Amino acid sequence: MSLAKRVSTIGFMAALTCILTSMFQLYIYETHGYFNFGEIGVYVSAILFGPIVGAFAGGLGSAMADILLGYFWYAPGTLIIKGLEGFAVGLVYSLLNRLRFKRNFTGLVSSSIIAIILFSSLLYVGLNYYSGSSEFSFGFPILGYGTVNVGIPSIFWIFSSILLLIIFIYVYVKVDLRYLYMALSCLVGGSIMILGYFLYEFYVLSYGWAALVEVPFNFMQMLIGLIVSSMICVGIGRRGIMVGG
């Protein structure tokens, strides 16, 4: 990829990440942060265009969203944390994709373990932090935001978790091995993001152990980003325009 093309790609993906981060919010009172869909943009950038684009698009796009939304105290940390997250996702995916593992028993076991981890985590976080009545804000900074109260029953998380477990194993066995690569890459990058924000809030913003409150919200961001970005990237790849690595 030429320098001019790389710069234009970074600009476009950073803008997309900023929009995805800004369009939906769930305010977290204890840490003065917010849940969002920005991980989708970070992961898509990294998987499609590699670690450099993933780092700049993720860091710059997410930091711009913090500033636009008024969470400017998070912007310096976001620039570094989301930048590292995007770089890690792009790097790990690129390495795994070049190894080109074959479907075998070891791969099936690995895929099943990842699926069980995701299943258990989604069930636990969903039941404990997202069940019941929640207030969500959606919209764009320029146009304003609307607020809606949503009641989420426990059965929704039970059903979603089981469905995720079945789908993840199925797509590995029958559909596309790249789902496994993407899941592993996003888990690595997402772990950096979760740990990074915890340390930033604990030490830099001095929130202390209140920073733990945001961990399940960041985990859910990672999980949603993993699922949606995988579907987007595999769909794009099947049309012959996958760039990644």
Side-chain angles (χ1 to χ4, degrees):
M1 185 185 296
S2 67
L3 179 60
K5 187 174 181 181
R6 189 183 295 274
V7 171
S8 62
T9 301
I10 288 172
F12 176 80
M13 296 309 296
L16 177 63
T17 301
C18 181
I19 291 171
L20 288 169
T21 305
S22 303
M23 67 185 296
F24 178 89
Q25 300 173 53
L26 173 59
Y27 180 70
I28 304 169
Y29 177 79
E30 290 81 359
T31 61
H32 308 289
Y34 61 105
F35 170 92
N36 60 80
F37 291 150
E39 257 55 46
I40 298 173
V42 178
Y43 297 164
V44 169
S45 300
I47 292 169
L48 288 183
F49 302 106
I52 302 301
V53 174
F56 281 98
L60 291 173
S62 303
M64 285 191 296
D66 282 347
I67 295 171
L68 284 172
L69 296 173
Y71 298 92
F72 51 85
W73 57 90
Y74 271 104
T78 293
L79 181 66
I80 297 172
I81 295 167
K82 292 294 184 83
L84 289 174
E85 180 184 25
F87 183 84
V89 172
L91 180 62
V92 174
Y93 178 74
S94 178
L95 292 174
L96 290 174
N97 206 33
R98 288 171 187 171
L99 291 173
R100 300 194 180 281
F101 294 113
K102 295 181 179 180
R103 287 188 177 89
N104 52 34
F105 179 75
T106 302
L108 178 59
V109 171
S110 301
S111 179
S112 300
I113 291 173
I114 294 173
I116 292 171
I117 292 172
L118 294 178
F119 158 80
S120 304
S121 301
L122 176 62
L123 185 61
Y124 177 81
V125 173
L127 289 176
N128 286 279
Y129 296 94
Y130 291 92
S131 294
S133 180
S134 299
E135 186 176 88
F136 298 91
S137 297
F138 57 93
F140 296 93
I142 297 176
L143 302 177
Y145 288 88
T147 301
V148 60
N149 287 306
V150 178
I152 305 177
S154 299
I155 190 65
F156 170 82
W157 298 111
I158 297 173
F159 176 78
S160 299
S161 301
I162 294 173
L163 186 63
L164 175 64
L165 177 66
I166 295 171
I167 290 176
F168 195 90
I169 296 176
Y170 175 80
V171 296
Y172 170 78
V173 176
K174 295 290 186 180
V175 183
D176 200 312
L177 190 58
R178 284 175 296 177
Y179 277 114
L180 179 60
Y181 301 162
M182 292 174 190
L184 287 170
S185 304
C186 294
L187 284 172
V188 172
S191 298
I192 292 173
M193 180 269 293
I194 293 170
L195 178 61
Y197 274 115
F198 172 76
L199 295 175
Y200 185 74
E201 291 163 358
F202 191 99
Y203 290 106
V204 179
L205 299 181
S206 300
Y207 292 155
W209 292 109
L212 283 172
V213 174
E214 194 166 311
V215 170
F217 293 92
N218 286 335
F219 175 84
M220 189 63 75
Q221 281 186 200
M222 177 195 71
L223 188 59
I224 292 174
L226 185 160
I227 295 170
V228 177
S229 64
S230 296
M231 293 189 293
I232 292 172
C233 293
V234 170
I236 290 175
R238 286 179 177 172
R239 287 165 174 77
I241 52 177
M242 193 82 152
V243 181

